[in-house]
Amino acid sequence: MKKFYIAKARRLRGTPFSSRIESQGLTAYTTYNHMLLPAAFEGTEKEYFHLKEHVQVWDVAAERQVQIVGKDSAKLVQLMTCRNLLKSKVGKCYYAPIIDEQGNMINDPIILKLDENKWWISLADSDVGLYAKGLASGLKLQAEVSEPDVNILAVQGPKSFKLMEKVLGKKITELKFFGFDYFTFKGNKFFIARSGWSKQGGYEIYIENREAGLNLYDELFSAGKEFNIKPGCPNSIERIESGLLSCGNDFDNGDNPYECGFDKYIDVESDINYLGKKALVQISKEGIKKKLMGVKIDLDKVEMMEEIPLQNGKSLVGHLRSAVYSPHFKKVVGIAMIKKEYWDKKTSFELEINGEKNKGSICDLPFISNDK
Ligand code: THG
């Protein structure tokens, strides 16, 4: 496929780390929340093997925070998600579907409770801040919605634990998965969560002070030499093998959270109030007619620009939404929206790429379970 440059503009916002990563071998950007998100350095496959063995620092500032503050903040956050946050605790992260009034997906952020009256919604790529502002003003809620200057650095990979301990001290090793706290480095406080968009383990540093953040960035790279540290970015091979979903790729506003397999983050029983609840109650009674599943395809490479129909003879089985060559399975693995009649994993299908027909089969997600 022909490659093009991305033309920079003010509305395609850079991050505090853009100049760093550009001088460290960045080769491709994508955009995310109207911001630059690094997409490649040495190549996805090389980066995949490195991520699984060493440690990487990712500039994921494009995972923007919607900050909600005020007396009605909990009410507003709950209005937008079908996950029950009644018992949520300060200091914890919650992966939660954001849905619309029809019960369809808008985003799949991590919601962080900083205080009873202060929340961050750490977004995937869609304008949830505008949704929140509309609700707050339309319902006259006492909730202030803003996008603070918070820029995330993810430190991912099996050696991330040793590196973070070396730089930030022993206390960081006590942080539990999806917990967060403040840690001090050279007199500056950093908000750090144990999370990240890979299943190789690691942390996310929510940087609130740009200058202090750049100092920490440089320190991570010098302290990380002994751990073979490299700059990186979310890796499509690792995330597909691990079954981490990508908003806008694997699902969009035409899909509901049941169809995305988010059942454990849906509450239709309790007495909580959120938009789309009626719709989800109805869907939970009727059942769904399509859902996201894994697929394996006999191909040694794939490049996807839009969803690809999967056929069984003349019948449509579903649509391939994301796919990548997996060095582990030595074939293409992907995430596809599969019609109910074909959930039976024995189903095989054909798909056409560049005028050639290829065979594939359906399987469960995740392809590789590597819970840390
Ligand atoms: N980190 C932060 N913000 C983000 C992402 C992130 N915003 C955008 C995007 N990623 C949101 N999507 C996800 C998807 C999956 C996970 C996190 C964010 C994830 N899932 C675990 C899993 O599926 O196993 C854990 C889920 C759970 O325990 O509930 O980590 O990466 N800051």
Side-chain angles (χ1 to χ4, degrees), residues 319-344:
H319 287 95
L320 183 62
R321 298 265 175 98
S322 290
V324 74
Y325 176 75
S326 159
H328 180 88
F329 292 103
K330 300 200 167 34
K331 49 176 72 177
V332 165
V333 295
I335 294 170
M337 190 57 91
I338 301 293
K339 285 163 68 180
K340 187 173 182 174
E341 305 89 281
Y342 301 98
W343 285 352
D344 181 348

Side-chain angles (χ1 to χ4, degrees), residues 32 63 83 95 108 110 122-124 152 177-178 196-197 199 204 206 244 265:
Y32 198 87
E63 292 167 355
R83 181 158 182 182
Y95 183 43
D108 68 330
I110 294 177
S122 187
L123 293 186
I152 301 180
F177 184 67
F178 266 39
W197 210 54
K199 287 279 193 173
E204 290 183 300
Y206 290 67
L244 291 168
Y265 310 118

Side-chain angles (χ1 to χ4, degrees), residues 32 63-67 77 81 83 85 91-98 107-114 119-124 128 152 156 177-180 191 193-198 203-204 206 244 265:
Y32 198 87
E63 292 167 355
R64 298 316 279 167
Q65 308 307 302
V66 170
Q67 175 171 287
V77 173
T81 180
R83 181 158 182 182
L85 294 172
K92 283 251 153 230
C93 303
Y94 297 89
Y95 183 43
I98 301 283
N107 204 292
D108 68 330
I110 294 177
I111 297 178
L112 302 96
K113 186 174 186 176
L114 285 84
W119 304 74
W120 282 349
I121 306 180
S122 187
L123 293 186
V128 172
I152 301 180
Q156 300 285 296
F177 184 67
F178 266 39
F180 65 79
F191 178 113
R194 211 179 117 201
S195 55
W197 210 54
S198 87
Y203 298 89
E204 290 183 300
Y206 290 67
L244 291 168
Y265 310 118

Side-chain angles (χ1 to χ4, degrees), residues 46-90:
K46 261 194 168 169
E47 291 159 40
Y48 162 83
F49 286 114
H50 179 267
L51 171 64
K52 290 183 59 132
E53 196 175 337
H54 304 290
V55 54
Q56 295 182 351
V57 173
W58 301 354
D59 169 6
V60 283
E63 292 167 355
R64 298 316 279 167
Q65 308 307 302
V66 170
Q67 175 171 287
I68 303 186
V69 177
K71 190 171 75 56
D72 293 328
S73 58
K75 186 174 172 182
L76 176 55
V77 173
Q78 184 65 78
L79 267 177
M80 296 187 284
T81 180
C82 53
R83 181 158 182 182
N84 186 340
L85 294 172
L86 272 180
K87 292 189 181 142
S88 58
K89 295 192 181 72
V90 172

Side-chain angles (χ1 to χ4, degrees), residues 80 97-101 103-109 123-128 131 247-248 251-255 257:
M80 296 187 284
I98 301 283
I99 58 168
D100 67 14
E101 78 294 343
N104 281 330
M105 291 299 299
I106 288 182
N107 204 292
D108 68 330
L123 293 186
D125 189 16
S126 73
D127 297 309
V128 172
Y131 187 39
C247 175
F251 62 84
D252 59 29
N253 194 233
D255 309 310

